[in-house]
Amino acid sequence: MARVRARDGHALMPARALRAFAEFFRLEAAGGIVLICAAALALVCVNSPLAEGYRAFIDMPAAVTLGPFGIDKPLLLWINDGLMAIFFLLVALEIKRELVGGQLQTRAQRVLPMVCAAAGVVVPALIFAAFNHDNAAAMRGWAVPTATDIAFALGVLALLGSRVPMGMKLLLSTIAVVDDLIAIVIIAVFYSHGMSYAALGGAALALMGMFAMNRMGVKSLAPYLILGAVLWVLVLKSGVHATLAGVATGLMIPHVDKRNAIDDEIEHSPLETLEHALHPWVAFAILPIFAFANAGLELRDLNMSQALAALPFGVAVGLVIGKPIGICGAAWLLRKFKWARYPDGMDGRAMLGLGLLCGIGFTMSLFIASLAYIDPILYEESVLGIFVASVVSALLGVAWLRAVLPAR
């Protein structure tokens, strides 16, 4: 198997995985710019004479009949439950690819990003709880400041051009992927409600069908996607959040088979085929639509007391300060005890810049906020905190990295 080698001669990662990452970075970086534009457009619409049309658009009723199931939801929920299931399907494909043949396939590769990502979840959550522990309604959103928006963060990182070493791009993307995995677990455990055990049983059967096909070596994508659609409907009716059906389906899609004699560099991978097909749609359509539908924050009546309220302040401080403290603190401890080392081209100052960029919470933070808060006031306060944190983190991260990374 062809592998890319570091200057010291040690193999870094398979050439196939590096090519996949190069395409991933290119699409995520460009998609991050589109995402920013979509969020800006939402802000313009909701704070202009277009506000009424914007609200009518996202609240538009849409009823669909799928076999014995009738689903009647406003357009906003179809975006959050339906389109975001495709986003989570792509996330699961990326996670599986990294575990099987990418940046997380060995223990040595996993230690730094996994520990940093975990610390980058725990510290912001504790900071948020410190500000909101006496408000039970606000505490439902404790997970809002725990997520990193990979598209937004990589889009900002791309602005620095050739200054950014490959090791930093790899580490940021890997931390964000692990971060997404932790967010998926949080959503499954803390934001599911009103369980229907009959629907859960049907979902389990659909999942077992996909698992059986995987074990039998079925390589065609069609059977997996058909069962995945059935799984989505059943999960939607079960009380578990429907986007988790996308995660389960993605993990069942077969990748290269390590047990056969075919070189992984040339073996057909259904997982990579689907990932390549979905990635442009997710980066340039699904995530911008989600941002446009969820980022509409009314600024006309905003005052300083609202901006400094415990909920938005806890979200903002958790992301801007908690993320770099958790990530950089974990990285420093791992390096001190010689359990991991910084990637080539990075030192403690570069790690701080990476930690600042991880404070860009946008997409996943907005999604968790939409699950946590039914009260529109609490939701708007959380969106305000997310916006402030994402802008401040992006500006601080770019300014710091431009100062500490040498021009190449």
Side-chain angles (χ1 to χ4, degrees), residues 182-265:
I182 296 172
I184 289 165
V185 174
I186 289 172
I187 291 168
V189 174
F190 295 99
Y191 296 107
S192 299
H193 55 85
M195 299 292 187
S196 166
Y197 292 102
L200 277 177
L205 289 175
L207 195 57
M208 289 169 59
M210 284 190 281
F211 180 77
M213 289 191 299
N214 189 302
R215 300 305 295 175
M216 290 187 295
V218 175
K219 298 289 187 181
S220 173
L221 285 170
Y224 293 98
L225 297 180
I226 291 170
L227 273 180
V230 172
L231 179 65
W232 179 83
V233 175
L234 291 167
V235 171
L236 181 67
K237 291 294 185 179
S238 72
V240 177
H241 200 271
T243 52
L244 297 177
V247 177
T249 302
L251 294 177
M252 290 297 117
I253 303 294
H255 192 23
V256 292
D257 189 347
K258 297 292 185 180
R259 298 166 299 181
N260 62 29
I262 304 174
D263 189 333
D264 291 348
E265 289 295 314

Side-chain angles (χ1 to χ4, degrees), residues 153 156-160 163-165 168-169 172 345-358 393-407:
V156 171
L157 192 66
L159 298 176
L160 295 167
R163 290 174 180 267
V164 183
M168 176 176 283
K169 297 176 184 178
L172 177 59
M346 287 189 67
D347 56 14
R349 298 180 304 162
M351 183 62 71
L352 175 57
L354 183 146
L356 288 168
L357 289 183
C358 286
S393 294
L395 293 176
L396 288 177
V398 167
W400 178 258
L401 288 174
R402 185 171 289 278
V404 302
L405 292 178

Side-chain angles (χ1 to χ4, degrees), residues 94-369:
E94 291 168 351
I95 290 171
K96 183 171 182 177
R97 172 172 52 77
E98 298 297 353
L99 288 169
V100 173
Q103 304 162 59
L104 297 172
Q105 64 179 320
T106 68
R107 181 183 175 279
Q109 290 173 308
R110 294 171 191 157
V111 171
L112 182 63
M114 293 187 78
V115 174
C116 287
V121 167
V122 171
V123 175
L126 292 175
I127 290 176
F128 179 87
F131 284 102
N132 295 277
H133 62 89
D134 56 350
N135 186 337
M139 277 301 295
R140 279 191 52 79
W142 64 269
V144 171
T146 63
T148 295
D149 187 308
I150 188 169
F152 201 156
L154 289 176
V156 171
L157 192 66
L159 298 176
L160 295 167
S162 59
R163 290 174 180 267
V164 183
M166 176 60 73
M168 176 176 283
K169 297 176 184 178
L170 290 169
L171 182 58
L172 177 59
S173 65
T174 311
I175 288 175
V177 166
V178 177
D179 198 288
D180 284 344
L181 179 59
I182 296 172
I184 289 165
V185 174
I186 289 172
I187 291 168
V189 174
F190 295 99
Y191 296 107
S192 299
H193 55 85
M195 299 292 187
S196 166
Y197 292 102
L200 277 177
L205 289 175
L207 195 57
M208 289 169 59
M210 284 190 281
F211 180 77
M213 289 191 299
N214 189 302
R215 300 305 295 175
M216 290 187 295
V218 175
K219 298 289 187 181
S220 173
L221 285 170
Y224 293 98
L225 297 180
I226 291 170
L227 273 180
V230 172
L231 179 65
W232 179 83
V233 175
L234 291 167
V235 171
L236 181 67
K237 291 294 185 179
S238 72
V240 177
H241 200 271
T243 52
L244 297 177
V247 177
T249 302
L251 294 177
M252 290 297 117
I253 303 294
H255 192 23
V256 292
D257 189 347
K258 297 292 185 180
R259 298 166 299 181
N260 62 29
I262 304 174
D263 189 333
D264 291 348
E265 289 295 314
I266 61 173
E267 184 179 0
H268 168 66
S269 168
L271 183 149
E272 289 181 349
T273 299
L274 182 58
E275 184 182 359
H276 293 165
L278 286 179
H279 211 151
W281 288 98
V282 170
F284 299 116
I286 290 174
L287 288 183
I289 289 171
F290 171 83
F292 178 74
N294 287 272
L297 177 65
E298 291 188 21
L299 301 175
R300 287 169 291 187
D301 300 324
L302 187 66
N303 56 56
M304 187 58 68
S305 62
Q306 287 176 290
L308 296 178
L311 199 163
F313 200 70
V315 170
V317 175
L319 284 168
V320 175
I321 297 177
K323 274 288 186 181
I325 287 177
I327 290 170
C328 298
W332 181 80
L333 287 172
L334 289 171
R335 188 170 183 237
K336 179 178 177 60
F337 290 104
K338 295 183 170 51
W339 293 335
R341 63 179 183 84
Y342 295 153
D344 290 342
M346 287 189 67
D347 56 14
R349 298 180 304 162
M351 183 62 71
L352 175 57
L354 183 146
L356 288 168
L357 289 183
C358 286
I360 302 173
F362 205 69
T363 303
M364 192 65 80
S365 291
L366 285 175
F367 185 69
I368 294 175

Side-chain angles (χ1 to χ4, degrees), residues 29-42:
I33 306 302
V34 177
L35 189 67
I36 295 168
C37 294
L41 181 60

